[in-house]
Amino acid sequence: IADPWSKDVNWKDPNGGWESGYYGHAQTSFSIGTETFQWTDSGFTRPSQEEVIVYELHVGDFASDGEIHGTFQDVISKIESGYFDDLGINAIELLPVTDFPGTHSWGYDPNLISAVKSNYGTPEDFKMLVDQSHLRGIAVIMDIVWNHIRSSSPVWQIQPNYDLNPYIKLYNELNPNETEGSWGMLDWDHFNARTVEYINQVNKIWLEEYKVDGFRYDATRMIGWNLSQPEYGIPAWTSAIAEPDPSAYQIAEHLPVDPWLVNNTSLTSSWHDSFHDRLLEHIHGSNPSTLTLMNQVVRLYEYSNSGSYYQYPTQAVKYMVSHDEQSFIQEMVTFSNYSLEQARDKDKFYATILFTSQGIPMIFQGQEFGLQTGWNDDNGYVYYEEMLEYRPINWSYLDTDPAQSHLNHY
């Protein structure tokens, strides 16, 4: 069983040498006598919440050549090329780069959250990615999963018993304000002091040793909170970060969204669900009212024009596309009978709204040059199979006139 605090783990079948998900194959990797990583980013200051523009990417798909999955070094090459500088990006949000089973995944099925995925590179490679980003004024935000974990994780295997393992609980034993949902994996017990301690220690590793600038927390509605018990759940580990490091980004994916939680905890922001959903309705012809578009798209309301809203623009992260969503061009062309030219023009219009509305704008890899991404729902009932497939970015499309026109608009 690997060390539950491992920073680098190899999961190799000893017979075949291929990537394995079996806990007994996990080996903690470390080197003795290696030189300390030399950081060169001493002049870096995080972009303020008012100025940040986020680019969400998946290392394996973003930096792939179409056959081989991308690595940290590939992303570094893109950073060094000035691509993000030219685009005007000052924050990169990485889909989970923590250890997961197999060779390709979005990373939302974690094995060990303290370790980098070895397929992407070494801990030193990831430090280099952060360092090179900082040298160009670009913050690095990690997408991190604290709702659930795989049963192959050493956190579970070191004591695979619900009655004896303090970190894990049954998925249907719900804590205050927790919604059931662990996607068939194990459910962290966020109202146990040992769990909170472990999360704080691991978060501290990423913030202090790797110098990341914050986190996007996955599936926070399934985690739980109680303001009368601030030592547990979301308030516990968000405040543990905010107190010593108030400029760190702490972004919640809290769906359905509840701005009240952001307004009353150390979370700095949340994904603004209504922005995406109202524009998607507009694409498909439902034509939301002018008041709805103003309040839920341009302004900061969620789901209604008179209910809960964010107190400050910096609390709402707005996006047209994310890893969970299809590109608007795909929605228009595949499902609403737009021509490709019409879809490109309308996508530019929606991008103008994105960058001029109240809130923090976020774009997804390839969106900036009009890449049509998504799935066709070919089986007619379970789109997750297609959504989670390996979908490398087609960088050759960037050399075309339509792509350059899109990129110039963005």
Side-chain angles (χ1 to χ4, degrees):
I1 297 175
D3 186 334
W5 278 267
S6 300
K7 297 174 186 176
D8 194 9
V9 181
N10 284 323
W11 297 69
K12 299 289 186 181
D13 186 298
N15 297 316
W18 51 73
E19 192 80 10
S20 169
Y22 175 55
Y23 75 90
H25 293 159
Q27 295 181 332
T28 299
S29 299
F30 58 92
S31 299
I32 298 173
T34 56
E35 294 184 7
T36 303
F37 182 83
Q38 298 299 309
W39 293 91
T40 61
D41 65 343
S42 58
F44 173 72
T45 300
R46 288 174 185 150
S48 69
Q49 298 278 349
E50 291 79 11
E51 297 176 338
V52 71
I53 301 174
V54 182
Y55 189 102
E56 186 187 31
L57 68 87
H58 177 272
V59 171
D61 291 355
F62 172 82
S64 171
D65 63 2
E67 296 182 2
I68 300 174
H69 298 164
T71 66
F72 294 140
Q73 288 293 343
D74 295 323
V75 177
I76 291 169
S77 296
K78 204 70 173 178
I79 293 167
E80 292 176 335
S81 75
Y83 182 78
F84 295 110
D85 300 304
D86 294 341
L87 186 56
I89 294 297
N90 57 12
I92 297 171
E93 182 179 309
L94 302 171
L95 267 67
V97 297
T98 53
D99 185 71
F100 57 79
T103 58
H104 183 270
S105 169
W106 281 3
Y108 296 103
D109 53 343
N111 267 327
L112 195 56
I113 304 172
S114 60
V116 296
K117 177 60 179 173
S118 58
N119 284 44
Y120 293 157
T122 66
E124 286 69 30
D125 291 334
F126 186 58
K127 290 176 183 178
M128 179 64 72
L129 188 156
V130 175
D131 192 51
Q132 290 301 307
S133 297
H134 286 177
L135 285 175
R136 289 158 180 80
I138 299 171
V140 176
I141 301 168
M142 280 184 63
D143 198 332
I144 200 163
V145 184
W146 282 122
N147 173 60
H148 53 267
I149 196 163
R150 293 184 67 94
S151 61
S152 52
S153 172
V155 173
W156 172 250
Q157 290 298 334
I158 206 165
Q159 182 52 272
N161 184 309
Y162 285 107
D163 293 328
L164 299 175
N165 191 310
Y167 305 102
I168 306 299
K169 65 177 181 62
L170 290 169
Y171 70 93
N172 56 358
E173 294 179 351
L174 301 180
N175 288 317
N177 296 300
E178 177 186 359
T179 299
E180 183 179 318
S182 57
W183 289 272
M185 289 172 268
L186 297 175
D187 200 16
W188 289 95
D189 184 359
H190 291 277
F191 278 66
N192 186 298
R194 298 286 291 275
T195 303
V196 173
E197 179 187 28
Y198 180 81
I199 291 173
N200 286 341
Q201 289 174 339
V202 173
N203 286 346
K204 189 175 181 180
I205 288 171
W206 295 113
L207 289 164
E208 295 187 359
E209 294 189 28
Y210 292 91
K211 301 179 71 169
V212 302
D213 300 291
F215 302 105
R216 178 266 194 190
Y217 302 116
D218 183 63
T220 53
R221 185 165 282 278
M222 287 75 175
I223 288 173
W225 54 271
N226 186 344
L227 293 189
S228 66
Q229 296 178 283
E231 70 273 24
Y232 299 123
I234 296 170
W237 31 273
T238 55
S239 62
I241 290 172
E243 288 169 7
D245 193 358
S247 70
Y249 312 106
Q250 298 199 74
I251 306 166
E253 184 217 27
H254 198 81
L255 302 174
V257 174
D258 186 359
W260 186 93
L261 187 64
V262 179
N263 293 335
N264 289 275
T265 66
S266 296
L267 290 167
T268 58
S269 51
S270 172
W271 279 17
H272 188 201
D273 196 32
S274 292
F275 179 88
H276 169 270
D277 290 355
R278 298 297 82 79
L279 290 184
L280 191 61
E281 290 171 0
H282 190 261
I283 283 174
H284 294 306
S286 68
N287 295 322
S289 69
T290 300
L291 179 62
T292 295
L293 291 172
M294 285 301 298
N295 282 345
Q296 298 182 44
V297 174
V298 177
R299 294 174 183 150
L300 303 170
Y301 283 80
E302 286 283 16
Y303 305 132
S304 76
N305 297 323
S306 59
S308 186
Y309 62 93
Y310 300 102
Q311 293 179 346
Y312 306 103
T314 55
Q315 293 177 323
V317 176
K318 300 192 173 186
Y319 58 94
M320 296 159 54
V321 191
S322 74
H323 65 274
D324 276 331
E325 312 291 348
Q326 313 206 62
S327 70
F328 276 10
I329 293 176
Q330 171 79 352
E331 292 280 358
M332 288 185 269
V333 171
T334 303
F335 300 106
S336 283
N337 298 317
Y338 287 73
S339 70
L340 185 55
E341 184 177 1
Q342 289 172 327
R344 287 169 178 155
D345 287 342
K346 199 161 188 177
D347 188 85
K348 293 176 184 176
F349 167 69
Y350 290 135
T352 300
I353 297 174
L354 174 68
F355 290 111
T356 57
S357 296
Q358 295 181 340
I360 296 172
M362 181 182 78
I363 65 174
F364 184 61
Q365 58 187 23
Q367 175 186 343
E368 69 276 15
F369 56 92
L371 196 63
Q372 183 178 338
T373 59
W375 48 92
N376 299 323
D377 197 15
D378 290 332
N379 62 18
Y381 66 99
V382 182
Y383 65 85
Y384 276 107
E385 295 175 357
E386 299 169 63
M387 186 171 72
L388 297 172
E389 286 178 348
Y390 174 48
R391 295 201 305 274
I393 296 299
N394 179 13
W395 287 104
S396 65
Y397 178 65
L398 183 57
D399 296 327
T400 67
D401 290 340
Q404 285 297 309
S405 173
H406 224 83
L407 186 65
N408 289 338
H409 182 85
Y410 271 70

